[in-house]
Amino acid sequence: MEWKPDRKAKKAIYKQLAEYIEKGIADGTFPPDKPLPSERYLANEMNLNRSTVVAAYDELESNGLIERNRGSGTTISKDIWGITKKRIPSWNRYIEAGTFLPNLPVMQRIRKESVEHKIINLASGELSEDLFPINILREITSTRSYIGSLGYDHPQGSVILRNTLTKHVKQYRGIETNPSSILITSGAQQALNLVVQCLLKPGDAVAIEDPSYNYNLQIFKSAGLKVYYLPANKEGINSDDLLSLYKKHRIRMIFLNPAYQNPTGSLLNEKQRKAILEISSEHGIPVVEDDPYSLTSFTGERIPTLKSMDVHGNVLYISSLSKIVASGLRIGWIIGPKSVIERLSDAKQQIDFGHSSFTQWIANDFMESENFNSHINLLVKELEQRRNQIVRSLHLYLKDQVEFFVPQGGIHIWVKIKKDVNEIKLLEESIKRGIIYVPGSTMGSKKGFVRFTFAREDEASIDKGIKRFSEALDSL
């Protein structure tokens, strides 16, 4: 046999072998009237472990392509073409063939652990339920009559909510806009997807921060984009790095999280903000500003958004209620030029026929009420207390084993582990002890970091979680 496994490929060898045999069955290399080679013969002929051949045959059998019979060996299924029974699709091949890439395995593991087991969760970027304004939202749904339509809403989202958002972003984020320049989305994640899918094409070069939340998103790779990285530290990115990247790679779009960045917690200073906008306007590069956290300043400072400083219309502004009200509402928005919003709106209609009118009604009533401002004040106070707790716990249990700077807003703290450790082993040891977090390499090119998020757990659990993490670190 001429076939040889590609040992450098990411695909498992048994899958490669199974595909080779399946192709051979289809083209007649393996005739239906003769037995297939034995497991032992294939293992020897191809210099494989017998277990690899067994796994390949198991897959072929589960897909209805072969039959194993004691005495007569392994044969091609007589019903392969569905004469007496239907053939099972080769689902694994379909799964692997899709262009929309799955989450990184470590992120799938973190999500699985957080859902299926009782564990201290310092990984999730979601607020804890006690931080949701649940009583206010219940009052809205129980005491006020819903007067909207239950049919499809306006393609860009509820006109009433977009009017409310126009006032909201002016008051809280310094942005002058109008309802026709706003698209309601299912959270910020959908907004990012729409931008990538509608405004970029395969081969386009984009710039993202390193580390960043965008680093572990597969949407960029799924879209066939070339991704280049802007080093980010406690002061954010440097505009000189952006200019250098543009000159070298002709960057088509920049994705930034300027306020209390995920994961570093950094706040991009005003000088760098102005420089980035100057580069954007000079070279015609759109900037996508992702702003989940600007309302969570612990100093009381009003954080100027890039969009509020944008005089040329170069910034697409994305935000949501997920990190400040409740993730389950699935209310996000994009603000940009009207022509862009109409393009994104058309794409959203193709995906889901527009956003839920019911949750838009709830969100609108809450944002219009006096309760919104008081809720934000209480939320910021609570997040600051949890931030203070995680800082105390890091100092208490980890002392000089780690380095970090204290963020002045947001929900994340970015911690450098001084000693060289195996990230996967450390995560596994932590999970055994009942604590989960995000390893740094999933969010950036550098190893030796972890991201702790302090919005999901109360202060006692945060303290317990950091203690367990320190025990896991000491065990390595």
Side-chain angles (χ1 to χ4, degrees), residues 252-359:
R252 292 270 295 163
M253 192 172 282
I254 311 157
F255 292 81
L256 296 178
N257 175 196
Y260 310 122
Q261 193 247 14
N262 179 3
T264 64
S266 65
L267 180 63
L268 190 63
N269 64 52
E270 187 173 356
K271 179 182 177 182
Q272 287 298 322
R273 290 168 186 253
K274 289 180 178 178
I276 289 165
L277 289 173
E278 286 174 7
I279 293 170
S280 170
S281 60
E282 182 179 350
H283 299 286
I285 317 169
V287 177
V288 178
E289 179 181 16
D290 186 12
D291 178 30
Y293 309 117
S294 64
L295 298 193
T296 64
S297 170
F298 303 148
T299 64
E301 178 186 4
R302 182 61 57 84
I303 306 303
T305 59
L306 280 175
K307 186 63 179 174
S308 68
M309 303 166 65
D310 173 30
V311 296
H312 300 293
N314 287 15
V315 176
L316 291 177
Y317 179 82
I318 293 175
S319 192
S320 77
L321 298 183
S322 296
K323 309 301 183 187
I324 58 173
V325 180
S327 50
L329 283 176
R330 306 311 303 136
I331 296 292
W333 58 89
I334 309 175
I335 299 175
K338 187 176 179 181
S339 59
V340 173
I341 294 301
E342 288 175 349
R343 171 70 180 97
L344 302 181
S345 172
D346 176 73
K348 179 172 166 58
Q349 282 288 298
Q350 295 180 54
I351 296 168
D352 60 13
F353 284 101
H355 205 68
S356 163
S357 56
F358 194 74
T359 56

